[in-house]
Amino acid sequence: MNAGLDARLARADARLRRDYPGADGGRQPVHTVYVPADRIRRGLAAAWGEQAVAALRAFAPGAAELAAATGLEEADVAAALPRVLAKLDREPVEDLRVDAEDGYGVRTDDEEDAHVGAAAAALGADVAAGTAPPGVGIRMKGMEAEGRRRGTRSLALFLSGLLEAAGGLPEGLRITLPKITSVEQVEAAAWALARMERLFGLAEGRLRFELQVETPQCVIGPGGTADLARMVRAGGGRVTALHFGTYDYTAACGVTAAHQAMDHPAADYAKAVMQVAAAGTGVRLSDGAANVLPVGAAEQVHAAWRLHTRLVVRSLERAFYQGWDMHPHQLPTRYLATYVFYRRAFGPAAARLADYLGSVGGTVLDEPATAQALAAVLTRGLQCGALDEPEVAAACGAGADDLAALAQRRVG
């Protein structure tokens, strides 16, 4: 009988392994920074870090002032602030996109060629010097009829320039595909990337891309089906992430400008579909951006910081561990909110995981899937700099490698 069951379910077992491999255990950035192509310069990440620190000094020079500005507890801010300042000095940007789409606008072909080429040269020089962010890439124009030729041209120019300036493509290279309205567009993008791999002599599968979820058609197709799950598979293993486009999506759903926001119910619905479509596939999730920038007088900066902090924490609580940042002054609250989140989670998660790993009787009986989630939150905290390995190992009895292995273990 067992042999018969194995035979009957062999195809289903193979499909499950192929379509739902689980997390790959690699580091996910806490944010993606979008900068228009014509504003990319060498050393941009370091310059953003310097501007972020200057904003802290000007508008919240101490933990008490920063707590009042963000709405976080002063004790939490005081504990996290030294780490935030160190992060802004060491690695202020984790993931950088050259924006050749909405943030850049429509230019002449000659202008876009020049700007994309210069951006690739600048990023490539930083990659070669070891000063580039861990993740770099481009948001090209999408596969819709009016933009696809310009989009693929800019992508080819960007890849060519990066290869020339850096001597190769960085490991953290990502391509963002916006304005998706059909499964066929994802298939076409995968086909185009395969062609570019052959053009540039790259290994098959080297070029991977993120899907920007910003149209209703991306979430629910014309037949009433959740086409986003099909889109993930249509990439043929090249799709790495789903990024939510807050303002395009909510506008397309008829939400007026004053109410377009990351926490609008229409946005929450789309992100819930994204979450289910990506679950178990290894495809990562990213929330969108807060469009209220922390600039102007102190009162305006503090209001924007408080909003940004609340939205970052809200995303983290809903298992969206990445978001977009659009201005250097958003970096302090991105890292502060993220670090406070992980440091608050640290003690309870480590204690429960220690009980689980040691089979110690406690007040909560955790399932293997919960233990995996506990390991995942500690791993994420370690990867972004919110936690240190010695303190985590002392608290739960497992090192970073063991936690990462447990976090990506398939359960169920």
Side-chain angles (χ1 to χ4, degrees):
M1 182 175 69
N2 288 337
L5 287 172
D6 288 342
R8 291 177 66 89
L9 293 173
R11 291 178 63 185
D13 290 342
R15 186 170 61 247
L16 183 66
R17 288 191 297 269
R18 181 196 69 213
D19 293 342
Y20 299 97
D24 63 8
R27 174 185 176 185
Q28 179 177 7
V30 303
H31 68 173
T32 298
V33 164
Y34 281 85
V35 179
D38 57 333
R39 299 182 189 173
I40 298 290
R41 301 289 186 271
R42 283 207 63 182
L44 182 142
W48 272 49
E50 291 168 1
Q51 292 177 61
V53 171
L56 281 174
R57 289 174 178 161
F59 298 110
E65 294 90 342
L66 189 54
T70 59
L72 295 171
E73 295 292 331
E74 185 176 344
D76 289 335
V77 173
L81 185 54
R83 294 174 181 271
V84 171
L85 293 171
K87 179 75 169 181
L88 293 173
D89 177 63
R90 180 185 74 255
E91 189 182 72
V93 175
E94 290 196 356
D95 189 35
L96 175 62
R97 289 291 172 282
V98 175
D99 192 2
E101 206 240 349
D102 278 356
Y104 174 71
V106 178
R107 315 289 182 95
T108 67
D109 282 341
D110 286 346
E111 282 182 302
E112 186 160 336
D113 285 353
H115 290 150
V116 170
L123 272 186
D126 282 350
V127 169
T131 57
V136 297
I138 185 171
R139 177 167 70 165
M140 56 187 280
K141 291 176 174 64
M143 288 290 129
E144 68 278 10
E146 60 272 20
R148 69 174 70 113
R149 293 190 179 188
R150 181 63 255 182
T152 53
R153 178 179 176 84
S154 288
L155 176 59
L157 287 169
F158 179 76
L159 294 173
S160 176
L162 202 57
L163 283 165
E164 181 178 354
L169 296 181
E171 186 61 34
L173 176 71
R174 290 293 180 265
I175 298 157
T176 306
L177 183 70
K179 302 290 190 293
I180 304 161
T181 54
S182 69
V183 174
E184 290 83 358
Q185 288 181 349
V186 179
E187 293 172 337
W191 175 85
L193 293 184
R195 294 286 297 268
M196 289 193 186
E197 285 167 351
R198 292 193 290 273
L199 174 66
F200 292 114
L202 303 172
E204 182 179 354
R206 177 66 181 86
L207 298 179
R208 308 181 73 191
F209 62 108
E210 306 159 334
L211 307 182
Q212 192 168 338
V213 180
E214 56 182 340
T215 68
Q217 297 90 338
C218 193
V219 178
I220 299 293
T225 57
D227 281 358
L228 196 52
R230 293 179 56 209
M231 290 176 181
V232 168
R233 292 192 294 274
R238 294 180 185 271
V239 175
T240 61
L242 304 178
H243 285 231
F244 186 58
T246 304
Y247 305 100
D248 279 75
Y249 183 86
T250 51
C253 289
V255 180
T256 60
H259 299 287
Q260 292 169 10
M262 292 166 60
D263 55 353
H264 191 281
D268 283 341
Y269 173 78
K271 287 183 281 190
V273 175
M274 289 169 59
Q275 198 164 45
V276 175
T281 65
V283 172
R284 295 165 171 172
L285 299 173
S286 176
D287 210 334
N291 66 348
V292 180
L293 300 182
V295 296
E299 183 178 352
Q300 294 170 292
V301 172
H302 289 181
W305 273 350
R306 182 176 288 257
L307 173 64
H308 191 234
T309 298
R310 180 178 67 78
L311 291 173
V312 171
V313 171
R314 186 180 191 271
S315 296
L316 290 167
E317 291 173 347
R318 286 156 177 76
F320 276 72
Y321 299 111
Q322 184 176 350
W324 297 2
D325 289 324
M326 315 298 288
H327 192 277
H329 293 182
Q330 291 179 321
L331 299 185
T333 41
R334 170 65 62 183
Y335 291 121
L336 181 65
T338 300
Y339 283 13
V340 167
F341 174 83
Y342 285 117
R343 293 208 64 81
R344 283 178 177 173
F346 166 47
R352 287 174 64 177
L353 194 59
D355 288 346
Y356 177 86
L357 294 174
S359 299
V360 176
T363 59
V364 179
L365 182 61
D366 285 318
E367 297 287 343
T370 301
Q372 183 182 33
L374 294 169
V377 74
L378 296 177
T379 297
R380 291 181 184 278
L382 286 166
Q383 289 173 337
C384 73
L387 306 175
D388 297 324
E389 185 170 2
E391 65 177 343
V392 172
C396 72
D401 291 342
D402 292 334
L403 288 171
L406 178 58
Q408 68 182 103
R409 183 182 302 166
R410 291 188 58 174
V411 296

